[in-house]
Structures are given as C-alpha cells and as structure tokens.
Amino acid sequence: MISNCCRSSRRLVHTARHALTDDAMRARTLARSLCVTSAASFVFDGYSQLLIEHPLTTNIATAGALAAAGDAVAQRNNAVYDAKRGLSFVAFDAAYRGGFQTPLLPWIIDHCHGDVLGQVLSFDTNILAAAECTLFNQLTVIPIVYYPLFFGITGYVQNLDSEASLQRAKTQFTTLCVRNWKFWVPANFLQFCLLPSEWQVPYTCAMGFIWNVILSASAGDARVEAAAAPSSKAR
C-alpha cells in the first residue's frame, strides 16, 4: 500500500516537472518570437522613416545592396568572384533603379491616370491607371533609357570601348527586352496597383534582386561577350 503511494507520488512529481519544462520551453519560444518580431518591427519602422525623410539616399543604397547580392547569386558557380562585374551591376542599379526611378515613378503615377486606356476599355479606374503606368514604363522608359544605360554603364565599368558596348547592345537588346517584359509587366502592374509612392522604388529593388540574377546570368560579363565579337577581335 505504502509502496503504491510512493510510486504514485513519484509519477505526479515527474509529470509536474515535465509540465513545468514544457511551459518553460513554450515561454522561451514565445519570448524569442516576440524579440524577433519587435526587432523586425523596429527595422521596418526605421526604414520606412528613412524612405520618407531621405528617399533618394535610401533608394540608392537599397538598389546598390540588392544589385550586389543579385549578381553574387548569379556568380555563385564561378570559381572566382568577378568583383568588377559585380561593381558594374551595383553602379547601374544605384544610378538607374535607386537614383533615376526616385523622381521617375512618382512622375509616371502623376501623369498616367488611365484616361487613354479608358477611351477603349471599360474597367476600374485604378486598374486602368496601373496598366497605363506599366505600359508607359515598359514600352517607353525601358527601351529608351534603361537598356542604353545598362549597356553603357556595365560596359564602361568592365573596360569596353563604345564600339564594343554598342555591338553588345545590338546582339542582346531584343532578347533582353522580351525577357524584361515577361518579368516586369506583371511585377510593375502589381506595384502600381497596390503600393504607396514611397514604397515604389524599394519594391522594384526587391524584384530587381530576382531580375538581376536573370540579367546578370544572361548579359553579365561584358568582357567575355566582347572577346567573341569581331570588333573586339580586331583590336
């Protein structure tokens, strides 16, 4: 009888210890989650404030950092990391995506209200405005500004002369434009539909991380392409 009571007591103590241990583990996990959430909230709030107070500087820094990361991913299988190639992508994205787009995207939003598409299509005004912004950006800005800057800056940083950079552009322009539209038309449409103005550029920088992996893998090493071009061989 006494033996049974002792065994029951030991079981109760053992169960209580396990319950305390489980409760402590749950409390510790909850505390860690709260700390991570609090830290993430602090970083997000701080970044949001920087976007409002210093949009140009913040966007340039964001674009450059994500461009470096995107090209590093594209170069992950290389035996040696090509720092000059990475620098070319950082220079281009900082100049275009961070610098040029900071005033460009608000200008597009201010001037594309869906009025033109509204004459031929009957949709919600916000959808038409987003579509008009997307089409203007992709059919005008990208071929006229984006790719000339891309081939010019990346070629210059990678030591190509103007003739070799032009040859590189002629060879790849059409293919890259089509690939660009497949990726960026839906991405831009969602951007113009859903995001407030201060988050437009950071969004394109985040999406640009993915795009830079594609672009860098497709047209990253200007010197390799130039070496295969007839104009470069003659030199």
Side-chain angles (χ1 to χ4, degrees), residues 173-195:
F173 180 81
T174 302
T175 300
L176 289 179
C177 260
V178 172
R179 194 170 294 169
N180 184 97
W181 292 329
K182 288 178 180 178
F183 180 86
W184 279 108
V185 166
N188 273 176
F189 180 74
L190 290 176
Q191 161 198 336
F192 289 121
C193 263
L194 303 174
L195 295 179

PDB file of all heavy atoms in Angstrom, residues 173-195:
ATOM      1  N   PHE A 173      19.890  43.218 -77.283  1.00  0.00           N
ATOM      2  CA  PHE A 173      18.790  44.131 -76.946  1.00  0.00           C
ATOM      3  C   PHE A 173      17.412  43.486 -77.072  1.00  0.00           C
ATOM      4  O   PHE A 173      16.604  43.515 -76.135  1.00  0.00           O
ATOM      5  CB  PHE A 173      18.861  45.379 -77.836  1.00  0.00           C
ATOM      6  CG  PHE A 173      17.772  46.371 -77.564  1.00  0.00           C
ATOM      7  CD1 PHE A 173      17.868  47.255 -76.505  1.00  0.00           C
ATOM      8  CD2 PHE A 173      16.637  46.422 -78.370  1.00  0.00           C
ATOM      9  CE1 PHE A 173      16.852  48.171 -76.244  1.00  0.00           C
ATOM     10  CE2 PHE A 173      15.622  47.330 -78.120  1.00  0.00           C
ATOM     11  CZ  PHE A 173      15.736  48.204 -77.057  1.00  0.00           C
ATOM     12  N   THR A 174      17.105  42.884 -78.207  1.00  0.00           N
ATOM     13  CA  THR A 174      15.767  42.336 -78.443  1.00  0.00           C
ATOM     14  C   THR A 174      15.453  41.208 -77.474  1.00  0.00           C
ATOM     15  O   THR A 174      14.367  41.169 -76.861  1.00  0.00           O
ATOM     16  CB  THR A 174      15.637  41.834 -79.889  1.00  0.00           C
ATOM     17  OG1 THR A 174      15.900  42.913 -80.789  1.00  0.00           O
ATOM     18  CG2 THR A 174      14.241  41.287 -80.145  1.00  0.00           C
ATOM     19  N   THR A 175      16.389  40.283 -77.309  1.00  0.00           N
ATOM     20  CA  THR A 175      16.169  39.151 -76.411  1.00  0.00           C
ATOM     21  C   THR A 175      15.916  39.618 -74.985  1.00  0.00           C
ATOM     22  O   THR A 175      14.993  39.146 -74.303  1.00  0.00           O
ATOM     23  CB  THR A 175      17.385  38.208 -76.434  1.00  0.00           C
ATOM     24  OG1 THR A 175      17.575  37.723 -77.756  1.00  0.00           O
ATOM     25  CG2 THR A 175      17.178  37.034 -75.491  1.00  0.00           C
ATOM     26  N   LEU A 176      16.735  40.560 -74.517  1.00  0.00           N
ATOM     27  CA  LEU A 176      16.592  41.038 -73.148  1.00  0.00           C
ATOM     28  C   LEU A 176      15.315  41.848 -72.959  1.00  0.00           C
ATOM     29  O   LEU A 176      14.696  41.800 -71.894  1.00  0.00           O
ATOM     30  CB  LEU A 176      17.814  41.865 -72.742  1.00  0.00           C
ATOM     31  CG  LEU A 176      19.103  41.071 -72.524  1.00  0.00           C
ATOM     32  CD1 LEU A 176      20.242  41.997 -72.149  1.00  0.00           C
ATOM     33  CD2 LEU A 176      18.915  40.006 -71.443  1.00  0.00           C
ATOM     34  N   CYS A 177      14.904  42.609 -73.969  1.00  0.00           N
ATOM     35  CA  CYS A 177      13.654  43.373 -73.870  1.00  0.00           C
ATOM     36  C   CYS A 177      12.458  42.444 -73.700  1.00  0.00           C
ATOM     37  O   CYS A 177      11.596  42.680 -72.849  1.00  0.00           O
ATOM     38  CB  CYS A 177      13.470  44.251 -75.111  1.00  0.00           C
ATOM     39  SG  CYS A 177      13.949  45.974 -74.844  1.00  0.00           S
ATOM     40  N   VAL A 178      12.393  41.410 -74.508  1.00  0.00           N
ATOM     41  CA  VAL A 178      11.283  40.457 -74.415  1.00  0.00           C
ATOM     42  C   VAL A 178      11.287  39.775 -73.049  1.00  0.00           C
ATOM     43  O   VAL A 178      10.244  39.633 -72.388  1.00  0.00           O
ATOM     44  CB  VAL A 178      11.371  39.412 -75.546  1.00  0.00           C
ATOM     45  CG1 VAL A 178      10.332  38.310 -75.338  1.00  0.00           C
ATOM     46  CG2 VAL A 178      11.170  40.081 -76.898  1.00  0.00           C
ATOM     47  N   ARG A 179      12.468  39.367 -72.603  1.00  0.00           N
ATOM     48  CA  ARG A 179      12.581  38.729 -71.286  1.00  0.00           C
ATOM     49  C   ARG A 179      12.190  39.702 -70.183  1.00  0.00           C
ATOM     50  O   ARG A 179      11.553  39.343 -69.199  1.00  0.00           O
ATOM     51  CB  ARG A 179      14.017  38.245 -71.098  1.00  0.00           C
ATOM     52  CG  ARG A 179      14.212  37.292 -69.940  1.00  0.00           C
ATOM     53  CD  ARG A 179      15.598  36.697 -69.981  1.00  0.00           C
ATOM     54  NE  ARG A 179      15.779  35.853 -71.150  1.00  0.00           N
ATOM     55  CZ  ARG A 179      16.959  35.380 -71.544  1.00  0.00           C
ATOM     56  NH1 ARG A 179      18.056  35.704 -70.897  1.00  0.00           N
ATOM     57  NH2 ARG A 179      17.039  34.607 -72.604  1.00  0.00           N
ATOM     58  N   ASN A 180      12.597  40.955 -70.364  1.00  0.00           N
ATOM     59  CA  ASN A 180      12.263  42.012 -69.410  1.00  0.00           C
ATOM     60  C   ASN A 180      10.746  42.170 -69.289  1.00  0.00           C
ATOM     61  O   ASN A 180      10.199  42.248 -68.188  1.00  0.00           O
ATOM     62  CB  ASN A 180      12.880  43.327 -69.879  1.00  0.00           C
ATOM     63  CG  ASN A 180      12.675  44.466 -68.902  1.00  0.00           C
ATOM     64  OD1 ASN A 180      13.552  44.762 -68.095  1.00  0.00           O
ATOM     65  ND2 ASN A 180      11.538  45.122 -68.966  1.00  0.00           N
ATOM     66  N   TRP A 181      10.040  42.216 -70.415  1.00  0.00           N
ATOM     67  CA  TRP A 181       8.589  42.405 -70.399  1.00  0.00           C
ATOM     68  C   TRP A 181       7.879  41.226 -69.742  1.00  0.00           C
ATOM     69  O   TRP A 181       6.896  41.415 -69.022  1.00  0.00           O
ATOM     70  CB  TRP A 181       8.072  42.624 -71.812  1.00  0.00           C
ATOM     71  CG  TRP A 181       8.520  43.940 -72.402  1.00  0.00           C
ATOM     72  CD1 TRP A 181       8.758  45.104 -71.722  1.00  0.00           C
ATOM     73  CD2 TRP A 181       8.788  44.217 -73.776  1.00  0.00           C
ATOM     74  NE1 TRP A 181       9.168  46.088 -72.584  1.00  0.00           N
ATOM     75  CE2 TRP A 181       9.193  45.578 -73.857  1.00  0.00           C
ATOM     76  CE3 TRP A 181       8.740  43.469 -74.951  1.00  0.00           C
ATOM     77  CZ2 TRP A 181       9.534  46.193 -75.053  1.00  0.00           C
ATOM     78  CZ3 TRP A 181       9.079  44.075 -76.141  1.00  0.00           C
ATOM     79  CH2 TRP A 181       9.471  45.425 -76.192  1.00  0.00           C
ATOM     80  N   LYS A 182       8.351  40.020 -69.976  1.00  0.00           N
ATOM     81  CA  LYS A 182       7.729  38.846 -69.360  1.00  0.00           C
ATOM     82  C   LYS A 182       7.795  38.917 -67.842  1.00  0.00           C
ATOM     83  O   LYS A 182       6.862  38.496 -67.139  1.00  0.00           O
ATOM     84  CB  LYS A 182       8.418  37.563 -69.843  1.00  0.00           C
ATOM     85  CG  LYS A 182       8.123  37.199 -71.281  1.00  0.00           C
ATOM     86  CD  LYS A 182       8.883  35.938 -71.683  1.00  0.00           C
ATOM     87  CE  LYS A 182       8.599  35.561 -73.131  1.00  0.00           C
ATOM     88  NZ  LYS A 182       9.366  34.367 -73.554  1.00  0.00           N
ATOM     89  N   PHE A 183       8.911  39.436 -67.337  1.00  0.00           N
ATOM     90  CA  PHE A 183       9.084  39.510 -65.884  1.00  0.00           C
ATOM     91  C   PHE A 183       8.455  40.766 -65.286  1.00  0.00           C
ATOM     92  O   PHE A 183       7.730  40.724 -64.293  1.00  0.00           O
ATOM     93  CB  PHE A 183      10.579  39.474 -65.543  1.00  0.00           C
ATOM     94  CG  PHE A 183      10.878  39.547 -64.064  1.00  0.00           C
ATOM     95  CD1 PHE A 183      10.900  38.398 -63.296  1.00  0.00           C
ATOM     96  CD2 PHE A 183      11.122  40.764 -63.445  1.00  0.00           C
ATOM     97  CE1 PHE A 183      11.164  38.462 -61.935  1.00  0.00           C
ATOM     98  CE2 PHE A 183      11.393  40.836 -62.093  1.00  0.00           C
ATOM     99  CZ  PHE A 183      11.410  39.677 -61.331  1.00  0.00           C
ATOM    100  N   TRP A 184       8.716  41.925 -65.911  1.00  0.00           N
ATOM    101  CA  TRP A 184       8.398  43.197 -65.289  1.00  0.00           C
ATOM    102  C   TRP A 184       6.989  43.704 -65.555  1.00  0.00           C
ATOM    103  O   TRP A 184       6.479  44.524 -64.770  1.00  0.00           O
ATOM    104  CB  TRP A 184       9.409  44.260 -65.717  1.00  0.00           C
ATOM    105  CG  TRP A 184      10.677  44.184 -64.922  1.00  0.00           C
ATOM    106  CD1 TRP A 184      11.898  43.740 -65.356  1.00  0.00           C
ATOM    107  CD2 TRP A 184      10.856  44.558 -63.551  1.00  0.00           C
ATOM    108  NE1 TRP A 184      12.811  43.807 -64.342  1.00  0.00           N
ATOM    109  CE2 TRP A 184      12.204  44.305 -63.223  1.00  0.00           C
ATOM    110  CE3 TRP A 184      10.009  45.074 -62.574  1.00  0.00           C
ATOM    111  CZ2 TRP A 184      12.725  44.562 -61.949  1.00  0.00           C
ATOM    112  CZ3 TRP A 184      10.517  45.327 -61.301  1.00  0.00           C
ATOM    113  CH2 TRP A 184      11.862  45.073 -61.007  1.00  0.00           C
ATOM    114  N   VAL A 185       6.321  43.279 -66.631  1.00  0.00           N
ATOM    115  CA  VAL A 185       4.956  43.767 -66.859  1.00  0.00           C
ATOM    116  C   VAL A 185       4.030  43.364 -65.703  1.00  0.00           C
ATOM    117  O   VAL A 185       3.357  44.224 -65.112  1.00  0.00           O
ATOM    118  CB  VAL A 185       4.416  43.295 -68.224  1.00  0.00           C
ATOM    119  CG1 VAL A 185       2.906  43.503 -68.300  1.00  0.00           C
ATOM    120  CG2 VAL A 185       5.102  44.064 -69.353  1.00  0.00           C
ATOM    121  N   PRO A 186       3.969  42.072 -65.312  1.00  0.00           N
ATOM    122  CA  PRO A 186       3.128  41.747 -64.142  1.00  0.00           C
ATOM    123  C   PRO A 186       3.642  42.363 -62.848  1.00  0.00           C
ATOM    124  O   PRO A 186       2.856  42.793 -62.004  1.00  0.00           O
ATOM    125  CB  PRO A 186       3.160  40.212 -64.092  1.00  0.00           C
ATOM    126  CG  PRO A 186       4.314  39.799 -64.925  1.00  0.00           C
ATOM    127  CD  PRO A 186       4.510  40.857 -65.954  1.00  0.00           C
ATOM    128  N   ALA A 187       4.994  42.412 -62.687  1.00  0.00           N
ATOM    129  CA  ALA A 187       5.558  42.993 -61.464  1.00  0.00           C
ATOM    130  C   ALA A 187       5.219  44.471 -61.352  1.00  0.00           C
ATOM    131  O   ALA A 187       4.819  44.957 -60.279  1.00  0.00           O
ATOM    132  CB  ALA A 187       7.069  42.787 -61.440  1.00  0.00           C
ATOM    133  N   ASN A 188       5.368  45.220 -62.436  1.00  0.00           N
ATOM    134  CA  ASN A 188       5.033  46.649 -62.430  1.00  0.00           C
ATOM    135  C   ASN A 188       3.545  46.881 -62.227  1.00  0.00           C
ATOM    136  O   ASN A 188       3.141  47.820 -61.518  1.00  0.00           O
ATOM    137  CB  ASN A 188       5.460  47.298 -63.739  1.00  0.00           C
ATOM    138  CG  ASN A 188       6.888  47.780 -63.743  1.00  0.00           C
ATOM    139  OD1 ASN A 188       7.385  48.250 -64.759  1.00  0.00           O
ATOM    140  ND2 ASN A 188       7.590  47.689 -62.622  1.00  0.00           N
ATOM    141  N   PHE A 189       2.722  46.051 -62.839  1.00  0.00           N
ATOM    142  CA  PHE A 189       1.274  46.228 -62.713  1.00  0.00           C
ATOM    143  C   PHE A 189       0.838  46.117 -61.249  1.00  0.00           C
ATOM    144  O   PHE A 189       0.072  46.948 -60.739  1.00  0.00           O
ATOM    145  CB  PHE A 189       0.537  45.210 -63.578  1.00  0.00           C
ATOM    146  CG  PHE A 189      -0.951  45.329 -63.496  1.00  0.00           C
ATOM    147  CD1 PHE A 189      -1.605  46.380 -64.125  1.00  0.00           C
ATOM    148  CD2 PHE A 189      -1.700  44.407 -62.779  1.00  0.00           C
ATOM    149  CE1 PHE A 189      -2.997  46.507 -64.039  1.00  0.00           C
ATOM    150  CE2 PHE A 189      -3.075  44.518 -62.688  1.00  0.00           C
ATOM    151  CZ  PHE A 189      -3.725  45.576 -63.324  1.00  0.00           C
ATOM    152  N   LEU A 190       1.329  45.087 -60.558  1.00  0.00           N
ATOM    153  CA  LEU A 190       1.004  44.926 -59.134  1.00  0.00           C
ATOM    154  C   LEU A 190       1.544  46.095 -58.319  1.00  0.00           C
ATOM    155  O   LEU A 190       0.884  46.578 -57.387  1.00  0.00           O
ATOM    156  CB  LEU A 190       1.593  43.607 -58.615  1.00  0.00           C
ATOM    157  CG  LEU A 190       0.938  42.324 -59.135  1.00  0.00           C
ATOM    158  CD1 LEU A 190       1.686  41.109 -58.623  1.00  0.00           C
ATOM    159  CD2 LEU A 190      -0.527  42.264 -58.714  1.00  0.00           C
ATOM    160  N   GLN A 191       2.731  46.546 -58.665  1.00  0.00           N
ATOM    161  CA  GLN A 191       3.354  47.682 -57.982  1.00  0.00           C
ATOM    162  C   GLN A 191       2.488  48.927 -58.072  1.00  0.00           C
ATOM    163  O   GLN A 191       2.192  49.575 -57.057  1.00  0.00           O
ATOM    164  CB  GLN A 191       4.723  47.927 -58.607  1.00  0.00           C
ATOM    165  CG  GLN A 191       5.340  49.275 -58.369  1.00  0.00           C
ATOM    166  CD  GLN A 191       6.460  49.552 -59.365  1.00  0.00           C
ATOM    167  OE1 GLN A 191       7.052  48.621 -59.913  1.00  0.00           O
ATOM    168  NE2 GLN A 191       6.740  50.813 -59.613  1.00  0.00           N
ATOM    169  N   PHE A 192       2.081  49.281 -59.293  1.00  0.00           N
ATOM    170  CA  PHE A 192       1.289  50.496 -59.480  1.00  0.00           C
ATOM    171  C   PHE A 192      -0.133  50.346 -58.922  1.00  0.00           C
ATOM    172  O   PHE A 192      -0.766  51.333 -58.565  1.00  0.00           O
ATOM    173  CB  PHE A 192       1.240  50.870 -60.957  1.00  0.00           C
ATOM    174  CG  PHE A 192       2.544  51.381 -61.490  1.00  0.00           C
ATOM    175  CD1 PHE A 192       3.187  50.748 -62.552  1.00  0.00           C
ATOM    176  CD2 PHE A 192       3.150  52.505 -60.938  1.00  0.00           C
ATOM    177  CE1 PHE A 192       4.392  51.225 -63.052  1.00  0.00           C
ATOM    178  CE2 PHE A 192       4.354  52.994 -61.434  1.00  0.00           C
ATOM    179  CZ  PHE A 192       4.975  52.353 -62.495  1.00  0.00           C
ATOM    180  N   CYS A 193      -0.635  49.118 -58.843  1.00  0.00           N
ATOM    181  CA  CYS A 193      -1.973  48.873 -58.303  1.00  0.00           C
ATOM    182  C   CYS A 193      -2.016  49.011 -56.782  1.00  0.00           C
ATOM    183  O   CYS A 193      -2.977  49.550 -56.230  1.00  0.00           O
ATOM    184  CB  CYS A 193      -2.433  47.460 -58.659  1.00  0.00           C
ATOM    185  SG  CYS A 193      -3.475  47.364 -60.116  1.00  0.00           S
ATOM    186  N   LEU A 194      -0.974  48.491 -56.109  1.00  0.00           N
ATOM    187  CA  LEU A 194      -1.102  48.231 -54.678  1.00  0.00           C
ATOM    188  C   LEU A 194      -0.257  49.091 -53.756  1.00  0.00           C
ATOM    189  O   LEU A 194      -0.606  49.236 -52.571  1.00  0.00           O
ATOM    190  CB  LEU A 194      -0.760  46.747 -54.405  1.00  0.00           C
ATOM    191  CG  LEU A 194      -1.585  45.705 -55.155  1.00  0.00           C
ATOM    192  CD1 LEU A 194      -1.044  44.312 -54.887  1.00  0.00           C
ATOM    193  CD2 LEU A 194      -3.048  45.797 -54.745  1.00  0.00           C
ATOM    194  N   LEU A 195       0.854  49.653 -54.227  1.00  0.00           N
ATOM    195  CA  LEU A 195       1.822  50.244 -53.304  1.00  0.00           C
ATOM    196  C   LEU A 195       1.726  51.755 -53.210  1.00  0.00           C
ATOM    197  O   LEU A 195       1.483  52.439 -54.211  1.00  0.00           O
ATOM    198  CB  LEU A 195       3.246  49.866 -53.733  1.00  0.00           C
ATOM    199  CG  LEU A 195       3.595  48.382 -53.648  1.00  0.00           C
ATOM    200  CD1 LEU A 195       5.011  48.155 -54.126  1.00  0.00           C
ATOM    201  CD2 LEU A 195       3.436  47.865 -52.223  1.00  0.00           C
TER     202      LEU A 195
END
